[in-house]
């Protein structure tokens, strides 16, 4: 049990750090594979510059909620918050790229390091929540087997 707890703490810590750093770094950059004569619009899309702006505060709030839930002793609540936050962050990152025709993997603006770190953090939180929920679901069966 202690090994799983340590593993979970490391994964949650890595996920929280990845989301926090990823939210600070730029999410978009100009596609380096564009031809030299390509016309690049001079617009500023949210997420193109470093620093905390608009949606970054929501991401940091979700990460804070995960950390706050870790202080409590309710394992099921911790698991639910961690899992839902991880899935929510990963889905938000996916919808962020699909929200504009200028942003995407083969568009004018492609994901930058901040986007990838945030996705990684969301995936790590999802993995921890999934592993914890699996252990919570299996625990009553294991207890019942020991009684029989």
């Amino acid at each position: 049990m202690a090994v799983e707890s340590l593993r979970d703490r490391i994964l949650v810590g890595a996920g929280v750090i990845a989301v926090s750093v990823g939210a600070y770094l730029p999410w978009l950059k100009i596609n380096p594979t564009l031809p030299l004569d390509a016309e690049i619009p001079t617009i500023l899309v949210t997420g193109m510059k470093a620093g905390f702006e608009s949606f970054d505060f929501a991401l940091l709030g979700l990460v804070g909620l995960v950390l706050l839930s870790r202080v409590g002793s309710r394992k099921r609540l911790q698991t639910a918050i961690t899992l839902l936050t991880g899935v929510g962050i990963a889905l938000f990152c996916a919808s962020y790229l699909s929200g504009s025709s200028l942003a995407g993997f083969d568009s004018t603006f492609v994901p930058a390091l901040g986007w990838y770190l945030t996705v990684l953090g969301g995936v790590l939180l999802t993995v921890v929540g999934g592993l914890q929920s699996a252990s919570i679901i299996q625990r009553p069966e294991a207890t019942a087997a020991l009684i029989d």
Side-chain angles (χ1 to χ4, degrees), residues 21 27-28 31 42 50 63 69 71 74-75 95 99 101 118 136 145:
V21 172
W27 278 32
L28 293 176
N31 190 345
T42 55
V63 165
S69 74
V71 175
R74 292 185 157 182
K75 188 72 170 170
S95 69
S101 62
T118 307
I136 287 174

Side-chain angles (χ1 to χ4, degrees), residues 27-105:
W27 278 32
L28 293 176
K29 65 180 180 178
I30 296 174
N31 190 345
T33 62
L34 288 176
L36 295 175
D37 61 343
E39 187 174 324
I40 299 171
T42 55
I43 60 170
L44 182 65
V45 179
T46 302
M48 290 184 75
K49 59 183 181 174
F52 296 117
E53 56 186 5
S54 67
F55 59 81
D56 298 333
F57 294 112
L59 293 173
L60 293 174
L62 288 172
V63 165
L65 184 64
V66 168
L67 290 176
L68 189 63
S69 74
R70 292 282 174 202
V71 175
S73 61
R74 292 185 157 182
K75 188 72 170 170
R76 290 182 186 204
L77 183 63
Q78 288 176 3
T79 301
I81 289 175
T82 304
L83 181 63
L84 292 175
T85 299
V87 169
I89 288 173
L91 288 176
F92 174 75
C93 291
S95 69
Y96 174 80
L97 285 185
S98 64
S100 171
S101 62
L102 294 174
F105 289 103

